[in-house]
Amino acid sequence: MSQEADVRFMALALALGRRGLGNAWPNPAVGAVVVRAPACEGVIVGRGWTQPGGRPHAETEALRRAGDAARGATLYATLEPCSHYGKTPPCTDAIIAAGISRVVSAMEDPNDEVAGGGHALLRAHGVAVEVGVLADEAQRAHAGHIRRICDGRPHVTLKLAISADGKAALAGRRPVSITGEAAWTRVHLMRAMNDAILIGVGTAIADNPLLTCRLPGLAARSPVRVVLDADLRLPPQSVLARSARETPVWVIAAEMSQGESEAKAGSATERSLRAQGVEVLRCPARHGVLDLAAALRLLAARGITRLMVEGGPRVAASFVAADLIDEAAILRSEKIIGTDGIDALDGLPLTALVASPHLRLRNAEAIGGDLLETYERG
């Protein structure tokens, strides 16, 4: 197969893999394509992507669809095929059994249980292996998996909608519609492509948001909704709490100190929230402020790989100050709010984000009448 064909088929595998974003955790959202080469350009005989909940894996899906046509074919995968037993047998076993003659992999899996072992096993069974085709794109596609494996936390994307004068809300922290319908659609698509969405309890109380994906046909792709709530103030009658059985809600509260009573740990608020299906998690806090790094580790331990922070100015500023932003999506409106509005980052200038030495502007595009700027960790 030509180098040009390898790039083309890997690009297709990456596109297929994106179908699993937000829906495959705790596993990575992988894409795979099986191609036969009766001619120099190849013929696709099987496609696959990681299925909901992380299994079946993309490679086995593509091989299943290819059937007997997989024998002697090339398999393109956006991540190194697994070589260990988890809840399903290794993909390498399925690849070898199917008679695949060549595997083109975008990148090695950083997971210690794989980490080159999949490629080595395939080579040991006579399968030709090539690694690195569209590696940069694959690293971006698998950023959540990489961050969780290497750093023990999810990949964090901060979403901000700001007015032309750098405001995010009206005086008194009253919410205001800043961007247009096209931007609204993009934000809901972003929600569907993340495992979880996070806000602070202040936003939960002030806005009483639903935080689901409300695009046609994508309601089931709504992310887990996470509320930072050190003192457990989320009202049991809130929209979030009342909808927790339809779309999960996790409230992260401060750990109980040894001196606090069992009665407080089993407060009426906590009992009411749990009765409605809300999960109450505990993490360390200092002076009533949750340890963000510990909260992220807690989410990663529960399988979250991609987290979208959509909270208010205080939560946004706290993530920026802690240097926990891997990607930022800033929607800039032409609307003016005025000097009495609330700054996009509480207590910080916007330059703390957009001029951060840790982030670089990757893209800027018009979304209806608004501008979307995307920054990523360098």
Side-chain angles (χ1 to χ4, degrees):
M1 206 80 70
S2 68
Q3 183 177 9
E4 181 181 350
D6 283 348
V7 168
R8 180 160 51 88
F9 290 125
M10 187 61 76
L12 172 58
L14 286 163
L16 291 170
R18 283 192 286 272
R19 298 184 181 189
L21 288 177
N23 202 35
W25 64 278
N27 289 345
V30 177
V33 182
V34 180
V35 179
R36 290 189 64 84
C40 62
E41 292 306 310
V43 175
I44 297 170
V45 294
R47 311 176 191 220
W49 56 91
T50 309
Q51 296 300 293
R55 63 189 68 84
H57 291 184
E59 298 92 330
T60 54
E61 277 291 286
L63 291 171
R64 179 183 64 80
R65 296 180 183 188
D68 292 340
R71 188 159 300 279
T74 295
L75 172 73
Y76 294 85
T78 62
L79 187 67
E80 177 182 8
C82 65
S83 53
H84 64 288
Y85 278 86
K87 293 186 177 180
T88 55
C91 288
T92 48
D93 286 6
I95 292 169
I96 294 165
I100 290 289
S101 64
R102 178 174 178 251
V103 168
V104 180
S105 177
M107 60 175 286
E108 185 176 292
D109 191 338
N111 187 343
D112 287 341
E113 293 182 307
V114 186
H119 292 149
L121 184 62
L122 292 171
R123 290 188 178 106
H125 283 79
V127 179
V129 176
E130 183 172 345
V131 183
V133 176
L134 296 186
D136 289 346
E137 291 87 340
Q139 288 177 0
R140 186 172 290 122
H142 296 303
H145 173 66
I146 296 169
R147 185 69 64 188
R148 179 171 177 259
I149 291 297
C150 297
D151 296 338
R153 67 169 179 84
H155 177 87
V156 176
T157 297
L158 172 65
K159 190 279 293 183
L160 288 178
I162 61 175
S163 64
D165 52 346
K167 308 296 181 181
L170 297 171
R173 300 192 179 274
R174 291 173 294 145
V176 61
S177 178
I178 294 175
T179 54
E181 184 176 348
W184 180 93
T185 298
R186 177 63 68 88
V187 169
H188 280 255
L189 182 60
M190 289 172 61
R191 288 180 179 179
M193 297 175 74
N194 279 272
D195 307 340
I197 183 170
L198 180 146
I199 63 171
V201 69
T203 297
I205 292 172
D207 297 0
N208 196 24
L210 183 58
L211 296 181
T212 55
C213 177
R214 295 191 292 280
L215 295 177
L218 290 183
R221 298 290 296 269
S222 295
V224 173
R225 298 165 297 170
V226 180
V227 182
L228 296 180
D229 186 7
D231 298 321
L232 214 57
R233 295 189 293 125
L234 181 69
Q237 68 272 21
S238 65
V239 170
L240 284 169
R242 288 189 286 108
S243 61
R245 296 199 186 281
E246 287 75 47
T247 303
V249 175
W250 298 349
V251 171
I252 302 181
E255 285 181 342
M256 293 291 166
S257 66
Q258 290 184 345
E260 289 180 290
S261 67
E262 289 293 328
K264 185 175 180 181
S267 67
T269 298
E270 181 166 349
R271 289 197 304 271
S272 295
L273 290 173
R274 290 186 183 277
Q276 295 190 79
V278 175
E279 291 194 58
V280 178
L281 314 176
R282 301 282 180 175
C283 90
R286 184 179 177 84
H287 303 306
V289 178
L290 293 171
D291 181 333
L292 290 183
L296 293 183
R297 289 194 296 271
L298 182 64
L299 294 178
R302 295 173 68 88
I304 300 298
T305 69
R306 295 168 59 90
L307 174 69
M308 180 175 171
V309 175
E310 202 175 328
R314 288 178 180 170
V315 166
S318 67
F319 272 85
V320 172
D323 189 25
L324 290 171
I325 304 298
D326 301 305
E327 193 171 340
I330 302 178
L331 286 156
R332 295 183 182 268
S333 168
E334 295 179 349
K335 183 178 295 185
I336 300 291
I337 289 181
T339 55
D340 61 343
I342 304 299
D343 289 337
L345 298 177
D346 187 56
L348 291 176
L350 188 60
T351 52
L353 177 64
V354 299
S356 167
H358 306 296
L359 299 172
R360 61 183 176 86
L361 180 65
R362 187 180 83 210
N363 189 44
E365 61 176 308
I367 306 290
D370 305 306
L371 178 68
L372 172 61
E373 294 177 347
T374 303
Y375 293 80
E376 67 180 4
R377 187 173 287 273

